[in-house]
Amino acid sequence: MSDSQSDGGDCTRNRTAVHEAEVEALVRGICFKTGPPRALGVELEWLVHELRMPQLPVTPERLEAAYASLRAVPLGSALTVEPGGQLELSSPPAASLMECITTVSADLDTVRAVLAEDGLGLVGIGHDPWHAPRRFLHEPRYDAMEACLDRTGPAGRHMMCASASVQVCVDAGHEEPGPLGHVRRWWLAYQLGAVLVAAFANSPLIGQEPTGWVSTRQLMWLEIGAGRAGAPPLDGAPRQAWARHVLDSPVMCVRRDGEPWEVPDGLTFREWTRTRVPRAPTRADLDYHLTTLFPPVRPRGHLELRMIDAQPGDDGWIVPLAVTAALFDDPEAAERAYRIVKPLAERALNLPAPHNPLWTDAARYGLADPELREAATGCFTAALEALPRIGATTEVTDAVAAYLHRYVARGRCPADDLLDRLRDTHLSRSGPGPTGGTFTAHGRKDIRT
């Protein structure tokens, strides 16, 4: 959900119709731009709540006033607002991990100071545990998105309005083979992605009740469906596989200047290029279509890793950024990570992520899954050894080491902390035994989703 789009002003750009073969060629050229891996970025989504009592709702009027104040503040990162009022900071491409951290940390300090003046604060949780989804932005893009996603159930509204993430952006890689080659990095992103889901799961609650999943945010992506939130198969060349996926994915909407946007049902972009109904698609329509696909790893010239829940604490986002950067951009760590996660691929059953058993288990159980815990321990250890080689400071390596000790080595994730606090609250209110269900040995309540 990191794309800021206009509401139709660009749909008249490049009115020349595109044909199927042209679309495939364009996608291949746009989405994987190879070269020496050196640029890094991060996109941070945050829930915005009352500073002192986050369980209280914030009125749209207060949010708008606070965001108006933020728009007057100079920042190094791009600041955007998500459909439910979440804030997103998108860093500029950075030449190093520490450059990225320094820029975003300074911007977050500024944003927090401005919000605090209005009694508001940022909360790092993958899914809002208190409030039902409520749309803050009412624009044609989000009207169409809501209408489209509602066809598969309520998960789309949860994703749009109640979720938050840490999205790490890495270069696509070299054209040549090897640990930094684009083919290897594409494959690694999808196998390592399940480990990142499990290690950083931080969204076990809806309506202050356990869902039975440590990453409810990832559950919502699963329920949205493969056509909108799924990946292409990994058994082919990345460029060709992604181009086919783009063509065969459903069109979210057909934009029109000054008219309501049409939301077709089941029309793929390939069919649109062939039928040219309700009108012929243009290059601008293709560009827009690419922003309406939400796989766990999205190629946008670089690779955008979208599977990590928002993290607790002011600086919790630094750990997934540092771990991911080390495992992708240090050749030795990339090779070790590849060997560590390779056995996990069998659990995927050759099914695209996230709609396969490996990703489902990661979202449901987190690091309580022994195999995912072992893989996460190996990957974090490799990242720790690599961080000094990519210029990380002692503070960053210490933060990663602390996370490894507190969570990974113990088979836990931040979601477990939230569940522990909920259990303790139930115990203090009701005496022995939590109310509303039976908790498992991992502190999770077994409920039907």
Side-chain angles (χ1 to χ4, degrees):
M1 296 298 299
S2 59
D3 303 290
S4 177
Q5 294 288 327
S6 65
D7 283 341
D10 65 343
C11 67
T12 57
R13 178 176 62 84
N14 192 354
R15 291 181 180 273
T16 304
V18 290
H19 299 270
E20 183 177 338
E22 183 183 1
V23 168
E24 186 167 357
L26 284 168
V27 172
R28 290 185 186 184
I30 292 170
C31 295
F32 286 90
K33 296 178 182 177
T34 54
R38 62 183 184 276
L40 181 71
V42 68
E43 300 172 7
L44 304 179
E45 296 172 342
W46 300 87
L47 304 178
V48 179
H49 288 300
E50 289 281 355
L51 194 57
R52 297 186 181 275
M53 299 185 69
Q55 67 271 26
L56 295 179
V58 181
T59 65
E61 293 76 17
R62 284 190 65 198
L63 283 179
E64 185 54 54
Y67 296 164
S69 298
L70 281 174
R71 294 185 190 103
V73 176
L75 298 170
S77 304
L79 181 72
T80 53
V81 179
E82 296 297 298
Q86 312 98 305
L87 273 186
E88 180 177 30
L89 274 178
S90 301
S91 73
S96 70
L97 171 64
M98 292 315 303
E99 179 184 321
C100 184
I101 291 174
T102 299
T103 298
V104 177
S105 295
D107 289 339
L108 281 171
D109 288 343
T110 300
V111 169
R112 287 193 176 96
V114 172
L115 290 177
E117 293 176 359
D118 291 302
L120 301 176
L122 301 177
V123 180
I125 303 178
H127 187 283
D128 193 320
W130 303 288
H131 309 116
R134 178 192 65 179
R135 193 139 64 91
F136 172 71
L137 296 180
H138 295 275
E139 301 171 358
R141 169 178 170 84
Y142 299 122
D143 292 344
M145 181 180 292
E146 184 176 278
C148 176
L149 297 180
D150 276 353
R151 290 171 177 156
T152 58
R157 296 195 183 203
H158 282 266
M159 177 274 292
M160 291 173 63
C161 302
S163 70
S165 68
V166 175
Q167 299 175 16
V168 181
C169 300
V170 297
D171 279 343
H174 290 290
E175 194 67 30
E176 300 79 12
L180 300 185
H182 76 284
V183 175
R184 173 75 68 85
R185 287 164 78 86
W186 177 246
W187 185 92
L188 177 62
Y190 274 106
Q191 305 310 323
L192 179 62
V195 178
L196 297 177
V197 168
F200 296 109
N202 187 37
S203 53
L205 307 173
I206 290 181
Q208 301 186 65
E209 288 293 329
T211 64
W213 297 67
V214 291
S215 180
T216 301
R217 174 181 164 273
Q218 189 60 46
L219 169 63
M220 296 306 164
W221 285 115
L222 286 165
E223 292 187 344
I224 285 171
R228 185 67 52 201
L234 296 180
D235 55 359
R239 289 188 178 93
Q240 287 83 341
W242 180 246
R244 286 195 299 270
H245 184 75
V246 169
L247 278 163
D248 292 330
S249 293
V251 173
M252 178 173 284
C253 57
V254 177
R255 300 174 298 162
R256 298 181 183 278
D257 291 332
E259 299 179 34
W261 293 10
E262 185 172 343
V263 183
D265 190 0
L267 175 69
T268 68
F269 205 92
R270 189 187 302 276
E271 292 169 338
W272 194 10
T273 63
R274 293 175 177 178
T275 64
R276 298 184 161 349
V277 175
R279 61 169 175 79
T282 67
R283 168 64 187 273
D285 291 316
L286 171 61
D287 292 343
Y288 189 84
H289 178 60
L290 291 170
T291 73
T292 67
L293 302 179
F294 307 114
V297 182
R298 186 164 63 174
R300 304 183 64 192
H302 54 272
L303 301 182
E304 180 184 77
L305 280 68
R306 305 171 50 83
M307 72 290 296
I308 302 169
D309 281 355
Q311 295 297 289
D314 290 352
D315 299 324
W317 58 275
I318 292 176
V319 174
L321 171 63
V323 169
T324 306
L327 295 179
F328 272 86
D329 290 346
D330 179 80
E332 182 179 338
E335 183 63 29
R336 285 180 61 184
Y338 171 77
R339 294 176 181 177
I340 290 167
V341 303
K342 191 173 183 180
L344 295 176
E346 294 182 6
R347 289 176 59 176
L349 303 180
N350 291 321
L351 298 173
H355 301 87
N356 64 49
L358 174 63
W359 278 70
T360 300
D361 288 347
R364 185 187 290 273
Y365 305 115
L367 296 186
D369 182 296
E371 194 174 13
L372 285 166
R373 175 182 178 180
E374 181 180 2
T377 301
C379 287
F380 269 71
T381 301
L384 266 177
E385 295 174 6
L387 282 169
R389 296 196 293 266
I390 64 172
T393 62
T394 301
E395 290 78 10
V396 171
T397 57
D398 286 349
V400 173
Y403 196 97
L404 171 60
H405 175 73
R406 178 178 179 180
Y407 293 114
V408 179
R410 300 169 61 197
R412 290 175 61 86
C413 57
D416 290 303
D417 292 345
L418 295 172
L419 290 167
D420 286 348
R421 287 197 288 272
L422 179 67
R423 180 192 58 197
D424 292 343
T425 300
H426 282 315
L427 287 172
S428 66
R429 291 177 178 174
S430 308
T435 61
T438 302
F439 281 81
T440 69
H442 299 291
R444 294 163 197 155
K445 190 169 71 172
D446 295 322
I447 66 173
R448 295 186 64 85
T449 56

